[in-house]
């Protein structure tokens, strides 16, 4: 519908089929924020981070010293 220029009709379909009926928007809400604090640890070295978009996995690991 969008590629045919039928924007209003496409929006109506989205509203009927995909948009939550909950009055405040999305059907989910985050639980909160998590802040970790470790006393004495201010410099971080020898680690690597990876984000795998296809598998939706984020990892953090230490790099072994050779």
């Amino acid at each position: 519908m969008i590629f045919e220029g039928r924007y209003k009709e496409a929006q109506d379909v989205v509203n009927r089929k995909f948009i939550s009926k909950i009055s405040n928007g999305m059907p989910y809400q985050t639980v909160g924020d998590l802040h970790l604090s470790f006393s004495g640890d201010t410099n971080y070295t020898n680690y690597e981070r990876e984000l795998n978009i296809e598998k939706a996995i984020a990892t953090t690991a230490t790099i072994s010293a050779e």
Side-chain angles (χ1 to χ4, degrees):
M1 288 181 220
I2 292 173
F3 295 117
E4 296 171 0
R6 298 165 38 201
Y7 305 113
K8 172 75 169 103
E9 191 176 348
Q11 183 65 54
D12 291 342
V13 169
V14 169
N15 288 341
R16 275 195 326 273
K17 303 285 186 179
F18 298 101
I19 302 297
S20 169
K21 301 300 181 204
I22 298 173
S23 63
N24 65 351
M26 301 306 293
Y28 59 86
Q29 183 175 358
T30 59
V31 174
D33 296 325
L34 174 64
H35 298 274
L36 301 176
S37 177
F38 302 97
S39 62
D41 292 334
T42 57
N43 295 318
Y44 306 98
T45 59
N46 296 326
Y47 73 96
E48 62 184 12
R49 295 172 60 186
E50 178 182 348
L51 176 61
N52 184 322
I53 299 289
E54 291 178 6
K55 296 181 180 179
I57 298 173
T59 57
T60 302
T62 57
I63 301 171
S64 60
E66 296 180 21

